[in-house]
Amino acid sequence: MIKKYSVAIYPSQEVIDSVKTMKEYLKSKMGWYNSCNSTAHITICEFSMTEAEVAKIKTKLFKVCDGLTPFQIDLDHFDSYANGAFFIAPTPDSKEKLKPVMRKTQEALRLSNLKKSNDPHISIGRKLTPENLKIASQLFTTIDIDFLCDAIVLRELDPIKKQFFVIDTFSFNGNSQPELVQGSLF
């Protein structure tokens, strides 16, 4: 059976709780909206495959993360996209640290049906109407949060709840990958 999966970065529990509070407050002002119940995360990519194929993905994710070193992420402003997404955005410096992690992960998976994210952010709401985007931007004007980015998670979509849940976590171990060097025997 084909299932939908997502690879993401989860912030600290403190940030997850803070974003949950924001989402609940926004929901109290405008009712249910897309992603109001999702756990705070930075999406790297999404894809579909059978459960049997996921073992290979886990191996690839472990290899990518084994060579990564934990780093600090700072998120300092709210922003939105024309498609109705309202989100918390990282500082330019943090964005530049996140992009190579996202790119390496996406490249390692080598999937034809990979839906890539290339602009790191934590969504507060998706598919909001222009009126609801205005409400969100008036309710949330300043933010300054940070967390240690030290792992990525593999999530599976629960088709009934329509929410992703974590099935595996891959820690950044800081192990440098040896470079293959052409040598001479004589």
Side-chain angles (χ1 to χ4, degrees), residues 7-10 44 57-71 101 105 148-154 166-177:
V7 178
I9 295 168
Y10 268 25
I44 295 175
I57 295 301
K58 288 182 179 185
T59 300
K60 290 177 180 183
L61 292 174
F62 173 79
K63 285 180 182 175
V64 168
C65 292
D66 192 48
L68 297 174
T69 302
F71 56 93
V101 171
T105 304
L148 181 67
C149 181
D150 60 358
I152 61 174
V153 296
L154 176 61
V166 175
I167 59 171
D168 214 336
T169 301
F170 303 88
S171 297
F172 295 177
N173 297 322
N175 292 323
S176 59
Q177 305 295 323

Side-chain angles (χ1 to χ4, degrees), residues 134-145:
K134 186 177 179 183
I135 291 170
S137 63
Q138 289 172 342
L139 290 175
F140 304 111
T141 56
T142 60
I143 189 151
D144 185 14
I145 55 177

